[in-house]
Amino acid sequence: MGIFKGSGVALITPFNEDMSINYTKLEELIEWHIENKTDALVIAGTTGEASTLPDDEHIELVKRSVEITRGRVPVIAGTGSNDTRHGIRLSLECERVGANGLLIVTPYYNKTNRQGLINHYTTIADKINIPIILYNVPGRTGMNIPADVVLELSNHKNIVGLKEASGNISYLAEVARICNSDFSIYSGNDDIIVPVLSLGGVGVISVLANVMPLETHNIVMSYLEGDVIKSRDLQLSLNSFVNSLFLETNPIPVKSAMNLMNMNVGGLRQPLWEISSNAQELLKIEMKKVNLI
């Protein structure tokens, strides 16, 4: 079975002025998410700027998140790597500090072939004792997990779900068709949560939830509880704002949005940079429409 149903926030990593992790702010954010019905925390993923977190910092961020959360919602650690040995080490360490599950992106840049992909995930899954969600985001990694590979990997006892962020509904429909119903599918795109749910998805791993956690939870739970119209209408009412969160590379816009909301989450680690003035003006317009500022 999957790790959660509902809205899992792909949580940003808050930084101090010196670009160290702001753990006081992290605690504030986690408490706010739990109060606003976020169903799971995804820590040190793409939105959390994992690629600029050294391993010791990455593990400490997961450890602190587990301690703050105190079992109230699952903590899922991003442990993807394009080096299988590194992925194993990171996964074992995050399991050791209490993560409830792992989100593992496909190998990026060096990529691999079909068998290499199966071997990569299976080798990591064989070493750990907590569940894994596969993460398919070819726009970032340059490779897609073929549907039949998802099926093969889903037979491993520790591989329980897929975060699908290609935006290809036909691909997702095929995954849903061939995989067992107990294999959990999560939308990786905030603008198509409802279509993913309509194909048997159980939730979203969301950027939007960083600023609208309750609304994101409600899109999913309204659908799962049978109120499709409410879910659809909420999805469509937010999609223009969702699009503004991706005017530039994630998490540049969402961090900007949070700071405009006086959440004071700090800046971005290079090579990411502050949002351009044009994009910020468009973001502000959309934020006003949904009453965030």
Side-chain angles (χ1 to χ4, degrees), residues 19 40 51 55 62 90 94 109 115 131 147 155 163 177 200 206 211 216 236 239 246 266-268 272 280 289 293:
M19 298 312 293
S51 56
D55 283 2
V62 173
L90 205 52
C94 288
Y109 187 69
Q115 191 59 48
N155 293 320
K163 176 185 177 183
R177 183 184 73 82
S206 172
V211 288
T216 311
L236 294 177
N239 269 8
F246 297 91
L268 302 132
L272 298 182
Q280 185 167 60
K289 290 180 184 176
I293 56 173

Side-chain angles (χ1 to χ4, degrees), residues 108-271:
Y108 39 87
Y109 187 69
N110 50 355
K111 305 189 285 185
T112 185
N113 59 16
R114 183 184 186 281
Q115 191 59 48
L117 198 55
I118 292 167
N119 294 345
H120 174 75
Y121 279 112
T122 302
T123 302
I124 297 172
D126 284 346
K127 298 288 186 181
I128 52 98
N129 298 292
I130 55 176
I132 289 170
I133 298 171
L134 309 173
Y135 182 12
N136 191 52
V137 58
R140 284 201 183 252
T141 64
M143 73 172 308
N144 186 68
I145 310 176
D148 66 318
V149 171
V150 175
L151 173 61
E152 183 163 344
L153 291 172
S154 73
N155 293 320
H156 194 291
K157 65 182 177 65
N158 289 335
I159 298 176
V160 302
L162 171 72
K163 176 185 177 183
E164 210 307 283
S166 73
N168 185 338
I169 292 293
S170 296
Y171 163 81
L172 182 61
E174 180 64 6
V175 170
R177 183 184 73 82
I178 63 178
C179 291
N180 290 331
S181 59
D182 61 354
F183 184 73
S184 296
I185 295 172
Y186 301 98
S187 177
N189 297 88
D190 286 313
D191 60 339
I192 54 169
I193 300 169
V194 171
V196 171
L197 296 174
S198 77
L199 290 169
V202 297
V204 61
I205 295 177
S206 172
V207 175
L208 173 66
N210 279 283
V211 288
M212 302 187 84
L214 182 58
E215 292 85 349
T216 311
H217 165 88
N218 286 341
I219 290 173
V220 178
M221 297 316 294
S222 295
Y223 191 100
L224 295 180
E225 290 167 3
D227 196 339
V228 174
I229 301 301
K230 179 181 177 182
S231 175
R232 180 202 66 191
D233 289 351
L234 185 52
Q235 169 86 85
L236 294 177
S237 73
L238 296 178
N239 269 8
S240 186
F241 171 58
V242 167
N243 292 339
S244 75
L245 291 177
F246 297 91
L247 286 166
E248 294 184 355
T249 303
N250 177 50
I252 294 171
V254 74
K255 270 196 159 177
S256 179
M258 294 173 82
N259 287 326
L260 287 167
M261 294 166 66
N262 296 315
M263 296 177 80
N264 303 317
V265 297
L268 302 132
R269 286 188 176 172
Q270 289 185 300

Side-chain angles (χ1 to χ4, degrees), residues 3 76-77 79 91 94-95 99-104 128 130-133:
I3 304 169
I76 300 164
T79 58
S91 297
C94 288
E95 178 181 4
N100 303 106
L102 306 173
L103 179 68
I104 301 184
I128 52 98
I130 55 176
I132 289 170
I133 298 171

Side-chain angles (χ1 to χ4, degrees), residues 7-32:
S7 171
V9 63
L11 193 67
I12 63 96
T13 299
F15 294 124
N16 295 304
E17 285 190 17
D18 65 358
M19 298 312 293
S20 61
I21 296 176
N22 184 341
Y23 287 110
T24 301
K25 181 60 64 174
L26 178 72
E27 182 168 8
E28 287 178 23
L29 291 174
I30 289 174
E31 293 297 338
W32 181 66

